[in-house]
Amino acid sequence: MTTISAALTRAVVSSFKTRYNFAVPEPAILVRSLEKAFPPARSGWRAFLQPFEKPSISALSGVSLEAAAGESVALLGANGAGKSTLLRILATLLLPTRGSAEIAGYNVAQDPREVRRKLGFHSGGDLCFYSRLTGRQNLYFFGRLNHLASNDAARRISQLSRQFGLSAALDRQVRTLSAGTIQRLSLARALLHQPPVLLLDEPTRSLDAIAAAEFRRFLKSELLKTGDITLLFASHSLPEIEFLADRVAVLDKGKLLAFDSPARLKARAETSSLEDAFFKLTGHFPYSLEAPTA
């Protein structure tokens, strides 16, 4: 009887949420107990056996977090902490080993096509443009891949080129453009289909200091101020994180150590610096402070 009663209660609650979901806002990004493991890297003849080996190298270990609509969340961690792996799972480029992840209510493993329609993905180190095509031709091609009609693709390209300051470069071959211009072109591509969720993997990695600052200001003033886009980004730049993020997810060796606002993370670590807070939370220290090895 207790089991039947519990099942009935769950059914009523589920029905209530479905009917009145405006009362319970759905998170734009939802990650629950996410795990990802890879088989060990091999060389030589052992590389042929790698696809059949048991995944034993853990990249993510039970990560859970969520981001509300319009929120900006940063992933902070050292190399190998699991930031890019998490973003690639959310972008449907990798399948999780265990756990679940959702974008705008769609499961990344079960509904990858719907997930791709709800997100834009931009990586600072993997821009993937056709270098001999112009910026306009590239954007039109990717717009059609996102099922935009020809007129809609042309309209969005014109709108985004004005918004991103790309009008002068749009009809030049991509191989002739500067790194900063290509970064803005890549961001325009990610936003062509007007997704509610934007994933950025170290977006300012290849930019010089001036171009990186302009890119951050653009994100803050043009994209985040409207509250229409949820941003999840990975970065090694602490000033960038403090400037853009509402909350910060601190990752270390695939585990989530903390998830809070920059101000609360600093208060928790009893420091005025996000850098010092990160070092205290993870146990890592700047190389200059580490004891010399024999």
Side-chain angles (χ1 to χ4, degrees), residues 52-164:
F52 305 101
E53 291 195 68
K54 181 180 179 180
S56 58
I57 308 299
S58 178
L60 293 173
S61 301
V63 172
S64 296
L65 59 84
E66 64 181 63
E71 188 176 16
S72 176
V73 174
L75 301 176
L76 175 61
N79 288 334
K83 305 184 301 299
S84 293
T85 299
L86 176 56
L87 288 174
R88 289 179 178 274
I89 289 175
L90 291 173
T92 73
L93 299 176
L94 289 175
L95 286 172
T97 303
R98 276 179 290 276
S100 65
E102 295 180 3
I103 296 289
Y106 293 99
N107 187 285
V108 299
Q110 299 171 4
D111 301 298
R113 180 176 297 180
E114 293 297 330
V115 168
R116 293 185 196 114
R117 291 176 179 172
K118 297 296 183 181
L119 65 82
F121 180 68
H122 164 69
S123 172
D126 187 18
L127 300 176
C128 295
F129 283 111
Y130 294 98
S131 62
R132 293 183 180 274
L133 296 181
T134 66
R136 187 187 304 275
Q137 290 169 332
N138 270 281
L139 291 179
Y140 182 81
F141 172 74
F142 287 109
R144 295 293 285 149
L145 285 183
N146 278 297
H147 307 288
L148 291 179
S150 296
N151 291 339
D152 292 336
R155 177 182 56 81
R156 285 292 291 161
I157 290 170
S158 177
Q159 178 185 356
L160 291 170
S161 65
R162 291 193 302 269
Q163 186 180 5
F164 290 13

Side-chain angles (χ1 to χ4, degrees), residues 9-272:
T9 300
R10 286 195 298 269
V12 170
V13 171
S14 176
S15 175
F16 182 83
K17 283 186 176 182
T18 301
R19 188 172 181 180
Y20 302 103
N21 57 6
F22 59 86
V24 184
E26 190 173 70
I29 301 172
L30 181 63
V31 176
R32 285 287 175 261
S33 303
L34 198 65
E35 297 183 15
K36 180 61 181 177
F38 296 96
R42 302 296 188 191
S43 60
W45 66 267
R46 294 181 178 84
F48 290 102
L49 301 176
Q50 183 181 2
F52 305 101
E53 291 195 68
K54 181 180 179 180
S56 58
I57 308 299
S58 178
L60 293 173
S61 301
V63 172
S64 296
L65 59 84
E66 64 181 63
E71 188 176 16
S72 176
V73 174
L75 301 176
L76 175 61
N79 288 334
K83 305 184 301 299
S84 293
T85 299
L86 176 56
L87 288 174
R88 289 179 178 274
I89 289 175
L90 291 173
T92 73
L93 299 176
L94 289 175
L95 286 172
T97 303
R98 276 179 290 276
S100 65
E102 295 180 3
I103 296 289
Y106 293 99
N107 187 285
V108 299
Q110 299 171 4
D111 301 298
R113 180 176 297 180
E114 293 297 330
V115 168
R116 293 185 196 114
R117 291 176 179 172
K118 297 296 183 181
L119 65 82
F121 180 68
H122 164 69
S123 172
D126 187 18
L127 300 176
C128 295
F129 283 111
Y130 294 98
S131 62
R132 293 183 180 274
L133 296 181
T134 66
R136 187 187 304 275
Q137 290 169 332
N138 270 281
L139 291 179
Y140 182 81
F141 172 74
F142 287 109
R144 295 293 285 149
L145 285 183
N146 278 297
H147 307 288
L148 291 179
S150 296
N151 291 339
D152 292 336
R155 177 182 56 81
R156 285 292 291 161
I157 290 170
S158 177
Q159 178 185 356
L160 291 170
S161 65
R162 291 193 302 269
Q163 186 180 5
F164 290 13
L166 290 168
S167 299
L170 206 57
D171 293 310
R172 292 170 51 191
Q173 288 184 329
V174 168
R175 62 178 178 167
T176 68
L177 302 178
S178 68
T181 301
I182 293 176
Q183 290 280 40
R184 283 183 283 132
L185 189 69
S186 179
L187 185 59
R189 176 183 61 188
L191 295 171
L192 268 175
H193 56 301
Q194 298 178 288
V197 176
L198 181 61
L199 308 179
L200 304 181
D201 191 2
E202 297 187 38
T204 58
R205 178 192 303 174
S206 60
L207 301 182
D208 59 47
I210 295 176
E214 290 177 349
F215 190 80
R216 286 191 289 267
R217 281 196 295 270
F218 174 80
L219 288 176
K220 185 81 169 182
S221 61
E222 297 295 332
L223 293 184
L224 297 178
K225 72 175 183 180
T226 64
D228 296 328
I229 289 182
T230 301
L231 174 63
L232 178 65
F233 70 101
S235 177
H236 285 118
S237 171
L238 296 174
E240 182 169 279
I241 288 174
E242 290 204 76
F243 183 66
L244 294 173
D246 299 313
R247 289 192 291 168
V248 182
V250 180
L251 295 172
D252 185 50
K253 298 177 181 178
K255 296 180 180 180
L256 182 66
L257 300 185
F259 187 34
D260 215 330
S261 68
R264 289 177 179 172
L265 288 177
K266 289 185 285 188
R268 172 178 168 181
E270 298 181 339
T271 178
S272 60

